[in-house]
Amino acid sequence: MGESEMTKTDGADGTGDEKVSRFVERFAAEMTAAGMQRMASRVFAALLASETASMTSAELAEQLRISPAAVSGAIGYLARVGMVGRERDPGTRRERYVLHNELWYETFTRRDQTLTRWEKVLDEGAATLGTDSTAGRRIAETAEFFAFLHGEMNGIMDRWRAHKDAQDAP
């Protein structure tokens, strides 16, 4: 961690850093168990746990005790899936890696768009195979499931937005 980052999380007895590290590793393990790449999970968790939601490659490498190449690979993956962005430190050539505002809202919105595309392809597959076949019925049921998820996701996202608006209201 950079100096300013450390002072925000480090307690007088040095346990703040240890607590952050334990959280980062625990959450990263959960994300890895859910299917995310291990190093990307660790980098994401470190950014999530940082006070500024942004760190440089050197800060990430130092905190996680990994190589700059490992940071680069993890950031590449996280950027491709839209979980982090890159910004230049003003007046330097260094990049900072940052979490997007409303990260989870955006992530689930993109996931919803993916489900919609899958639903369309599955509908076409069911029509092609015909619902008189076992495979066609299975594909049609899968499309129906994604259509259900799509409808529910829209409601969930609307309720989340209303919840956040109520919290943010003066």
Side-chain angles (χ1 to χ4, degrees), residues 24-25 39 42-43 46 59-66 71:
V24 165
E25 295 305 327
M39 205 54 64
R42 293 182 72 214
V43 167
E59 290 168 337
L60 285 162
E62 181 182 340
Q63 178 181 341
L64 298 172
R65 294 181 180 95
I66 59 176
V71 171

Side-chain angles (χ1 to χ4, degrees), residues 88-144:
R88 288 266 184 220
D89 263 350
T92 73
R93 292 178 47 170
R94 290 188 318 184
E95 284 188 327
R96 294 194 75 71
Y97 306 112
V98 299
L99 297 181
H100 296 297
N101 290 334
E102 298 190 356
L103 166 73
W104 297 114
Y105 185 88
E106 292 175 16
T107 298
F108 279 91
T109 298
R110 279 190 303 278
R111 179 65 44 106
D112 186 54
Q113 293 165 353
T114 299
L115 292 176
T116 300
R117 289 192 310 271
W118 290 0
E119 178 190 344
K120 181 178 186 269
V121 171
L122 288 163
D123 279 338
E124 292 168 3
T128 299
L129 294 175
T131 55
D132 55 335
S133 74
T134 303
R137 283 191 300 278
R138 182 181 325 110
I139 292 170
E141 183 178 336
T142 304
E144 185 180 345

Side-chain angles (χ1 to χ4, degrees), residues 54-80:
S54 72
M55 298 173 83
T56 65
S57 179
E59 290 168 337
L60 285 162
E62 181 182 340
Q63 178 181 341
L64 298 172
R65 294 181 180 95
I66 59 176
S67 71
V71 171
S72 179
I75 290 295
Y77 170 82
L78 292 168
R80 277 191 306 280

